[in-house]
Amino acid sequence: MTTVPAPTRTTLATPSTLTLRLATSTGDRMRAEYLISDVYNQHYDIVFSRDLVDLDARIEPYPDDYLLAYRSGQLVAVAGLYVHHTYVQQFGGVTREDIERELEKAGQLGAYDPDVAVEITKLTVRPEYTGERIGMHIFQAAHSASFLTREDRRPVLLVCANQRVFDHLHTPAGITTRFLREFPDYAVHDQYRSPDNPMSSRLIIPELDIPREWWENPLPRTVGLGTRTEGDPAATEDA
Amino acid sequence: MSVEYTFGTYDEDSDLPSISEFEVRFMPLDLVAHWRRCGMTADFLAYFLSHAFRNPDSALGTLSTVINELLENAVKFSADKRVPVVLSLSHFGEVIGITATNTCRDAHAERFAGFLERLRTEDIDDLFVSQIEHNAESAQGESGLGIITMVKDYGASLAVRITPAEGGEGHDVVVRVVLNAEELDRA
Amino acid sequence: MNIETDDFAVSIEGDRSRLVGVLRLATPAAYKKIFDPLTDALTANDAFTVDIVEVKFMNSSGITALSRLVLAARQQDKPLTILGTEAVAWQKKTITSLKRLHKKLTVELS
């Protein structure tokens, strides 16, 4: 009567594939949260909590939604999404007026509601899988309508990261990021930011700033992985 | 007298990787000496698990109830109250496995195997009623009512293995209950 | 009649009784002290109501004890009402099954 589902065991063949899909079940979310906790604790000495969040005490909030990347049946990368309370608004001091200002400059004030915002966060690749461009694939998939929008949600996209991430991920990808505010100092980011690598909150207006082929890429989907290369994005995108 | 009985699909070496593991090991005497510790332990383990859920409050009631029944049985039916009982939680993402291990008397092993055989072959709603009627007449224990409700009301998959105790008297009993995480998370 | 401990409280007034708290006593026998007065009150009245809305947990020994009360009502051919709530897992899941024991048992889940 007790049936524990059999594990997916695929033999590790090269070239391998990466399957990208949204988290839908309790198990999906739990695996995503455990992977994020594992990597963030190791890299930044951070713990997570659902109720008590304190960035100066290195306690981070969990995202609300997740994008998952599976390779050979194993979860190798996740991207999180804040939907209800974004990090940049909660901790970065970003206001409705900041978003409105940038929308207005872009002539998009009527097209987007500054109150409906989501934020990609906690992009995490399992350390033993870096170098396969998995980070780039999940970064790409995270910037898609399938991940960011819902029937009743056509949001603007917020992001907070250090300068190096913007220079090495967003800019080469052709994603425009619009400066909103410097991110205030918190102890939780002390290993992530430095005077020559400052952190800021930025706005991305999806249909204007994200390459169309990324935005329209459907989920779930499976992509081929090449052989290992150097220069994959770091294991974590932001803190 | 020795009993060897297996109920359900008892897969000892399931190679499905668990995401989360938690185990408590204690002397049943500790709980017999202070019975409230049963409920306390069940509540604690249920709280521990409930954090992984979106609706922790809704999961909590079921988890605590199921864990408490397993715990009470393992304690009550331990032959030597100084031989440790082990209660372990394994979270596989889609399902949660809760396993209680204890050593019981031969007579209980036989009774328990008999009860499980009825559970396997009879209609569970009828068995529920018949056990209640039986309990009403006997001054004794509740004869598996906890296990019946776990399966009947909480959608638990049950697996049990009863084997002669290794190098000693009595029988080792391993009861494993598997709960569906998605169902627990439904508000 | 009232019983009050750290974990639970029982009160009876005429043809109504109310249980509150966590009921996880060790054996069905341990529940005698609680349920005997309920059975007496049932016997003394034409119908009886037990309010368990605020019973957060009740173990299977307690369910055995509660079903003994249901069987007593059946034996005396009297209507018995159990007031519970959907918000508490064990009530929602298990209590309605007791209806099979006695035709005159009403279970009302709020």
Side-chain angles (χ1 to χ4, degrees), chain B residues 13-120:
Chain B
D13 306 305
S14 166
D15 49 2
L16 182 77
S18 62
I19 305 170
S20 152
E21 289 283 343
F22 199 87
E23 190 171 282
V24 289
R25 185 175 180 275
F26 57 89
M27 284 202 321
L29 185 56
D30 282 326
L31 274 59
V32 170
H34 299 280
W35 187 252
R36 280 178 68 176
R37 285 176 173 165
C38 262
M40 277 170 52
T41 309
D43 283 342
F44 166 70
L45 294 173
Y47 273 113
F48 178 89
L49 283 171
S50 73
H51 281 273
F53 292 96
R54 293 232 147 166
N55 301 299
D57 293 342
S58 81
L60 201 60
T62 295
L63 287 167
S64 181
T65 298
V66 169
I67 294 171
N68 189 61
E69 291 300 330
L70 280 176
L71 205 58
E72 286 194 8
N73 282 347
V75 169
K76 271 185 208 171
F77 298 119
S78 282
D80 181 344
K81 304 287 193 229
R82 292 177 173 280
V83 172
V85 163
V86 178
L87 197 105
S88 65
L89 312 175
S90 302
H91 203 313
F92 297 94
E94 283 63 38
V95 294
I96 298 171
I98 306 163
T99 309
T101 308
N102 70 293
T103 305
C104 73
R105 287 183 208 293
D106 295 338
H108 175 69
E110 203 169 6
R111 254 201 324 271
F112 193 34
F115 163 74
L116 291 169
E117 196 51 26
R118 290 188 65 188
L119 185 63
R120 194 176 67 78

